[in-house]
Amino acid sequence: MISCEQANNLFDAYLNDELSGSWVAEMDAHLLECVGCRHRLSLLEACGNVIRLDTREPAISDDFTNRLMTILNDGERTSRRNLQLRRGMQIACGLLG
């Protein structure tokens, strides 16, 4: 039987029906025995359903881009912590854009 670590690595493929029959059988056997993995898989599935079903466009203020660029430019002159913030903002901007 597979370990919890192996099961965790296969959760996405399992939920997307991308596993071969033998891997599905391994996952099913593990999930029958492991309450923790069943719980984690259930949470992942629920999160995926919420994301998939939420089709609303995010509301972004008219000055969002200007505020973001100000933060990014200011971040170049500040500490490493702000560099991490800037990277996070860039990721967020990419997801929204």
Side-chain angles (χ1 to χ4, degrees):
M1 187 163 52
I2 62 175
S3 68
C4 291
E5 183 179 353
Q6 290 171 312
N8 278 303
N9 290 333
L10 295 172
F11 281 165
D12 287 333
Y14 183 79
L15 289 172
N16 293 326
D17 295 324
E18 297 171 350
L19 295 179
S20 67
S22 61
W23 279 110
V24 170
E26 289 284 338
M27 282 291 292
D28 288 341
H30 180 78
L31 293 170
L32 282 172
E33 298 293 323
C34 184
V35 174
C37 284
R38 266 198 320 268
H39 180 70
R40 282 189 294 281
L41 183 64
S42 179
L43 287 175
L44 282 174
E45 186 174 28
C47 289
N49 289 338
V50 168
I51 292 168
R52 188 180 71 253
L53 297 173
D54 185 5
T55 58
R56 297 172 292 163
E57 289 279 329
I60 300 174
S61 64
D62 292 336
D63 66 338
F64 174 79
T65 300
N66 290 335
R67 289 186 300 119
L68 179 60
M69 293 308 295
T70 299
I71 290 169
L72 294 176
N73 289 332
D74 288 347
E76 289 178 11
R77 294 181 294 251
T78 58
S79 70
R80 183 176 178 176
R81 186 170 187 272
N82 284 342
L83 177 63
Q84 292 170 341
L85 174 64
R86 189 176 81 213
R87 287 182 183 150
M89 295 289 250
Q90 289 169 331
I91 292 168
C93 190
L95 293 173
L96 294 173

